[in-house]
Amino acid sequence: MYNSHRGMVAAPNNRLTELLDQIRAEFENQAGRTGEYEHQIANQMNEMDMVRQKVFQLEQAQVVIKQKYDDEITRLHRELEARGGPAQPPHVGGPPHNAGPSQPPPPSIGHGPSNLFGGIMANQGGQGGPGLAPPPPDQQGPPPPHQMPQPPPAVQQQGPPPAQQPTYPGYQGPPAVNGYAAQPPQPTASPGPGKGRPRAPLGPATPQQNQPAPYRDPRASPQIAQPTPPPPQHVVANVGNVLADLDFDRLPAHQKKEGNDWFAVFNPRVQRVLDVDLVHTLQHDSVVCCVRFSHDGKYIATGCNRSAQIFEVSSGKKVTELEDGAVDKDGDLYIRSVCFSPDGRYLATGAEDKLIRVWEIASRTIKRTFGGHEQDIYSLDFARTGRLIASGSGDRTVRLWNIESGQMIMSLSIEDGVTTVAISPDGRYVAAGSLDKSVRVWDTDTGNLVERLEGPEGHKDSVYSVAFAPNGRDLVSGSLDKTIKMWELGRSGSANMPRGGKCIRTFEGHKDFVLSVALTPDGHWVLSGSKDRGVQFWDPRNGTTQLMLQGHKNSGQSSFCCLPSIFQATDNDWRE
């Protein structure tokens, strides 16, 4: 009885041990799961930290974009007031009522105020003269979409703006909805020209998790330290080749250069290998319609009202002025094109009276006068032999003239007005750009059309400038479609059929009509002048722009040419 009684008492002890083992196993299982949960929580907090950093970066990018637009609005207001316009546009923030297309159609070619470049530079009829007056304020391009109406002038002229708020002070802010700091009211308009600009804070502070831990258990989840945001850095917007969109004031010193009435900006995406400086400012009594350097780079000729003037490049002094005394003194007679002979002895001029005059520079006398064009002569080019001159006119013809015989040797007709001509370095070809968007190339010996460069890869608007590359196989063209194209001429084809040249590069970056193009004598750089008031230097190997130069107060360069001697002498310093 005793032994059996002891055995009956031992059974509850075994059961208790089993229950304790189950509790211990469950506890260990829960402890393991707790570790997993803590690991998941740590991962989620890391993800939240990454999101927080991303929000901070987006805020910084938004601030840069907003500042760029605000600065552009201020610049446009200053330019508007400098041109004598109203202090604030009457329809800021949208297109004017009853406005037509933002891009005006190509102007008509004709004599007087409706001439080719008059329509381009003035964008309006009845301007008179050469038509190079600044465009009216309402044609400066649409304002940025975020621009709002300005306050009255009295508001703009009040005291200095409030000091700019520090960026992310302590990376904290007063609590608000979702942890973001309360925002001050945003300004609704840019201040007037020359006024200070109130700056809003760079954006709401990113919410922080800096409260003390809710429990002190040693097995508690670890607290992830929150990163301190990086200090504000100088961010240069990526604008591609549109260097006019860069904010000059915010560029670092090595990416810009400035003079009294000019400035240059360098592409931040490419290595800077060129420099630019102003050598001379050549004053004139009338509008300058065209510019051309001599082949040796020692002289520069300009075409003005009734006269052509020649300056010495080294000193900037005017050495001679050529004016036909036999012309009636009444009215205007603008010279639209000038060109030196290769030996520098002669200067050819084309004017509104439809005549080409070939001047002997030393004696200031006219050697030849060529008549035959029925409208203004917009472009001239000498062959390297010095015997031939090519001319292009609004009368839809390209003509070749023999200096020695004084005769026209060829007339090439097309469907629309000719805006520009160029003779190849070997004299075998003459190229012309036209209002019909095409570039044509003829054989100077036979008059056969050997190239017609157009089509899907061609220009979408009128072609205003062409220039041969030094190798004679490539051709550059500039157009009202705001692009420059480099063409490779075909090497085969029948005598009477175009060879099928192709576009090998398109340069995009100008914000308005491209009116002139040129290449450096070594062919290493393409240069373009635009109605956006910028001259850009392009690398023909990859189509990127090296720098943009602005120095003219008018609405663009009506002509542009390259200075061989200075550029060849240093290869990294181009001077105007």
Side-chain angles (χ1 to χ4, degrees):
M1 288 294 289
Y2 180 78
N3 290 338
S4 61
H5 176 74
R6 297 231 5 202
M8 292 175 63
V9 173
N13 292 336
N14 293 335
R15 179 61 178 169
L16 178 61
T17 301
E18 182 180 347
L19 292 174
L20 290 174
D21 289 340
Q22 292 179 358
I23 292 173
R24 186 181 299 106
E26 181 67 19
F27 177 81
E28 292 175 353
N29 181 45
Q30 294 297 329
R33 295 180 64 182
T34 300
E36 293 179 1
Y37 289 148
E38 291 176 350
H39 181 69
Q40 293 177 4
I41 292 173
N43 288 339
Q44 291 177 357
M45 294 184 70
N46 287 335
E47 292 179 0
M48 291 177 61
D49 181 64
M50 294 176 61
V51 172
R52 192 175 296 113
Q53 289 282 35
K54 185 63 176 179
V55 169
F56 177 79
Q57 295 173 3
L58 292 174
E59 290 170 353
Q60 292 289 79
Q62 188 270 341
V63 167
V64 172
I65 294 173
K66 181 178 183 300
Q67 186 61 45
K68 181 181 70 172
Y69 282 131
D70 287 344
D71 292 345
E72 179 69 9
I73 293 171
T74 301
R75 186 188 68 79
L76 292 174
H77 285 323
R78 290 174 180 168
E79 183 176 339
L80 181 61
E81 289 193 355
R83 297 189 179 200
Q88 51 183 340
H91 48 263
V92 175
H97 297 293
N98 302 322
S102 60
Q103 188 82 348
S108 60
I109 292 183
H111 182 76
S114 61
N115 68 78
L116 176 64
F117 291 100
I120 282 294
M121 304 308 293
N123 278 350
Q124 61 182 11
Q127 184 79 11
L132 291 177
D138 62 350
Q139 297 185 10
Q140 294 297 317
H146 75 284
Q147 187 174 1
M148 301 293 292
Q150 283 189 288
V155 176
Q156 298 180 7
Q157 298 175 3
Q158 291 178 357
Q164 181 174 351
Q165 296 296 324
T167 305
Y168 296 95
Y171 206 55
Q172 297 179 3
V177 178
N178 295 328
Y180 281 81
Q183 294 299 297
Q186 299 295 321
T188 59
S190 302
K195 309 298 189 299
R197 178 184 302 282
R199 302 292 177 89
L202 290 183
T206 304
Q208 299 298 300
Q209 294 185 354
N210 53 7
Q211 290 78 13
Y215 53 87
R216 300 296 183 180
D217 194 311
R219 294 175 299 172
S221 300
Q223 297 300 302
I224 306 300
Q226 302 304 316
T228 301
Q233 298 181 356
H234 192 81
V235 181
V236 177
N238 183 4
V239 297
N241 288 327
V242 190
L243 300 188
D245 281 348
L246 290 173
D247 184 349
F248 184 86
D249 294 333
R250 299 171 67 89
L251 287 175
H254 67 280
Q255 290 178 357
K256 62 184 178 181
K257 196 167 186 179
E258 185 175 17
N260 290 333
D261 59 353
W262 67 275
F263 69 91
V265 295
F266 298 86
N267 192 342
R269 300 186 302 120
V270 300
Q271 181 183 2
R272 175 176 170 179
V273 295
L274 297 179
D275 198 8
V276 63
D277 203 355
L278 178 67
V279 178
H280 302 297
T281 299
L282 308 178
Q283 299 294 339
H284 292 73
D285 295 330
S286 74
V287 171
V288 178
C289 300
C290 52
V291 181
R292 199 72 172 260
F293 281 97
S294 61
H295 286 253
D296 58 11
K298 294 181 179 180
Y299 299 96
I300 182 172
T302 61
C304 307
N305 186 13
R306 309 188 68 85
S307 70
Q309 302 179 32
I310 299 177
F311 298 83
E312 185 180 48
V313 169
S314 60
S315 65
K317 296 180 179 179
K318 180 162 60 175
V319 296
T320 191
E321 184 170 356
L322 306 174
E323 182 174 354
D324 189 352
V327 176
D328 188 355
K329 300 296 183 180
D330 295 333
D332 295 328
L333 180 62
Y334 288 95
I335 295 177
R336 298 293 183 184
S337 181
V338 293
C339 184
F340 282 96
S341 62
D343 59 9
R345 294 178 55 196
Y346 304 109
L347 182 74
T349 63
E352 290 181 324
D353 61 0
K354 311 165 191 174
L355 296 178
I356 301 170
R357 295 172 177 83
V358 181
W359 296 81
E360 187 176 52
I361 297 174
S363 63
R364 296 195 299 176
T365 59
I366 298 175
K367 175 181 175 64
R368 298 286 186 193
T369 300
F370 296 113
H373 279 298
E374 298 176 1
Q375 288 192 25
D376 295 5
I377 299 166
Y378 293 113
S379 184
L380 296 171
D381 198 22
F382 260 99
R384 295 292 176 88
T385 62
R387 294 187 301 105
L388 294 181
I389 292 180
S391 60
S393 168
D395 64 6
R396 307 181 181 182
T397 65
V398 174
R399 306 190 185 211
L400 297 180
W401 312 84
N402 188 300
I403 298 294
E404 297 175 353
S405 66
Q407 300 296 317
M408 181 183 71
I409 61 175
M410 193 175 297
S411 179
L412 308 167
S413 298
I414 64 173
E415 293 85 355
D416 214 333
V418 178
T419 59
T420 175
V421 294
I423 298 179
S424 63
D426 59 8
R428 294 177 57 192
Y429 305 110
V430 58
S434 169
L435 293 181
D436 65 5
K437 313 175 188 178
S438 299
V439 177
R440 295 171 176 81
V441 182
W442 293 271
D443 187 304
T444 56
D445 291 330
T446 65
N448 291 330
L449 180 68
V450 297
E451 296 282 9
R452 182 163 180 168
L453 308 173
E454 58 184 2
E457 63 180 7
H459 286 293
K460 303 300 186 288
D461 210 333
S462 304
V463 178
Y464 267 55
S465 184
V466 294
F468 276 97
N471 60 22
R473 300 188 307 272
D474 298 331
L475 184 73
V476 174
S477 58
S479 166
L480 300 192
D481 65 7
K482 308 178 187 178
T483 70
I484 304 101
K485 291 184 180 289
M486 176 170 279
W487 305 85
E488 182 180 64
L489 302 184
R491 298 171 183 258
S492 61
S494 64
N496 297 316
M497 293 296 293
R499 298 178 178 180
K502 60 182 180 180
C503 177
I504 58 177
R505 182 96 49 214
T506 298
F507 306 85
E508 296 181 283
H510 280 296
K511 303 185 73 173
D512 212 329
F513 304 147
V514 177
L515 302 178
S516 49
V517 293
L519 293 99
T520 56
D522 57 11
H524 290 171
W525 299 98
V526 173
L527 295 84
S528 59
S530 167
K531 189 174 177 287
D532 64 13
R533 301 171 56 227
V535 172
Q536 295 197 191
F537 290 62
W538 307 83
D539 187 337
R541 298 170 298 177
N542 52 34
T544 59
T545 183
Q546 167 74 196
L547 68 91
M548 180 197 69
L549 170 69
Q550 284 198 7
H552 293 274
K553 295 183 175 64
N554 206 331
S555 54
Q557 283 72 25
S558 62
S559 61
F560 182 83
C561 50
C562 143
L563 177 53
S565 62
I566 291 182
F567 201 100
Q568 286 181 331
T570 62
D571 198 35
N572 64 353
D573 184 17
W574 184 89
R575 300 191 172 191
E576 183 189 32

